[in-house]
Amino acid sequence: MYKNIAAALFALTLPALIPQMAHSETVMQKVARTGVLKAGTSKDALPFAYVDSQGKLTGYSVDMLGIIQQQLEKELGKKIQLKLVGLSPAERIPNIVNRQVDIVCDASSFTWERDKKVDFSVSYGVTGTQILIKKESNLGSPESLIGKRVGVLAQTTNEQAIKRTQPKAKLVYLQTRAEGFTALQQGKIDAFASDSILLEGWLQTAKNPDDFAIAPPRPYSREGIACMVPENNSKFLDSVNYSLVKFMQGFVNVNPKYVTIFDRWFGPQGAVYLNRDLRDLTVETMQLMIEFREEIPQGDL
């Protein structure tokens, strides 16, 4: 009888214990146990992370996740499946905190507020906040945004950059970047704020690019692109950082393997061609990231 009561009590408490058990397990322990790395990424952040014509999540940041996957396989001595999950900007941090995903790599930027909830990797790219406008509007300066309808996605650094730049702008909250581009085309907003490279990606694939422009010439903010992981997972973060620095060191040293990855997204024939200024800034950022770290042996590149 007592055994039956004990079993019943255990069955009742088990659902409450499972979330606690999951949170007590580190990411490395979970990946080693399951053989799966569950990664969140964007669905509409061309060229960082987006859904291609075949419905597959792909992009520069997805390639970084592939490099991280390979490093984990080497460290854990087993095959690791990379399972991608498409997330909106507002879903990223909650999914990490609740351990629904092990890592997020898309077009995420470091902020002190975000850093209170998650940990960031080294930056493996750089972008900034600019606005997409109709050419005839001549918007761009902080003063020109007073009273203007500026589309933003909630809980993004772009939203914060516009608030700092011009508190008197009228923010219009949109669900997706595609919705933002459409709203601008239809005249429902006067400008759409997003990452510089994402705006450039849209402009280079638009049917009528001559009708639009990216402003101002100098972004309202500069931001490094990084991955986010759950807090207190230093061993996993070490592996992520090692993977990203390995990629950047290889690219800066003109290793064909890593140059090919970069050019697939940002080269002359890539998804989004970076102009010379943006490319130079990206390379400078990579050099800075690897400059103060021990050089990775050539045999490991």
Side-chain angles (χ1 to χ4, degrees), residues 15-158:
L17 289 173
I18 289 175
Q20 297 176 27
M21 293 166 60
H23 279 247
S24 64
E25 185 178 41
T26 68
V27 171
M28 288 295 276
Q29 290 170 337
K30 178 185 174 185
V31 173
R33 175 176 59 82
T34 64
V36 176
L37 175 66
K38 196 171 181 181
T41 196
S42 290
K43 296 174 285 188
D44 60 352
L46 175 77
F48 291 107
Y50 64 100
V51 178
D52 65 14
S53 57
Q54 280 75 47
K56 178 183 175 183
L57 286 164
T58 188
Y60 177 59
S61 295
V62 175
D63 278 356
M64 295 303 104
L65 285 167
I67 294 173
I68 294 167
Q69 171 196 14
Q70 293 168 13
Q71 181 63 29
L72 289 174
E73 289 181 335
K74 183 176 181 180
E75 293 182 17
L76 296 173
K78 63 186 294 184
K79 292 294 291 182
I80 301 298
Q81 176 192 356
L82 177 61
K83 184 176 181 180
L84 299 174
V85 180
L87 299 174
S88 69
E91 293 172 328
R92 295 179 299 195
I93 290 180
N95 270 262
I96 294 175
V97 171
N98 295 326
R99 299 296 295 272
Q100 299 302 305
V101 297
D102 305 313
I103 185 172
V104 167
C105 296
D106 50 14
S108 306
S109 304
F110 174 92
T111 71
W112 292 113
E113 191 60 33
R114 289 174 177 174
D115 195 45
K116 295 176 183 177
K117 302 173 182 176
V118 299
D119 285 335
F120 283 82
S121 72
V122 297
S123 293
Y124 57 91
V126 65
T127 187
T129 295
Q130 290 178 287
I131 54 174
L132 185 70
I133 57 173
K134 290 185 177 179
K135 258 186 184 173
E136 69 273 11
S137 71
N138 294 318
L139 297 179
S141 69
E143 294 76 17
S144 70
L145 299 182
I146 295 175
K148 297 299 182 181
R149 301 163 299 170
V150 181
V152 296
L153 301 188
Q155 300 181 40
T156 60
T157 51
N158 313 125

Side-chain angles (χ1 to χ4, degrees), residues 230-262:
E231 289 192 312
N232 306 316
N233 277 269
S234 61
K235 190 174 181 180
F236 177 56
L237 187 57
D238 286 345
S239 297
V240 171
N241 284 337
Y242 189 86
S243 304
L244 297 175
V245 172
K246 179 168 65 175
F247 165 77
M248 291 186 283
Q249 181 180 310
F251 174 73
V252 169
N253 292 341
V254 200
N255 181 311
K257 174 183 175 181
Y258 299 110
V259 171
T260 297
I261 292 173
F262 185 87

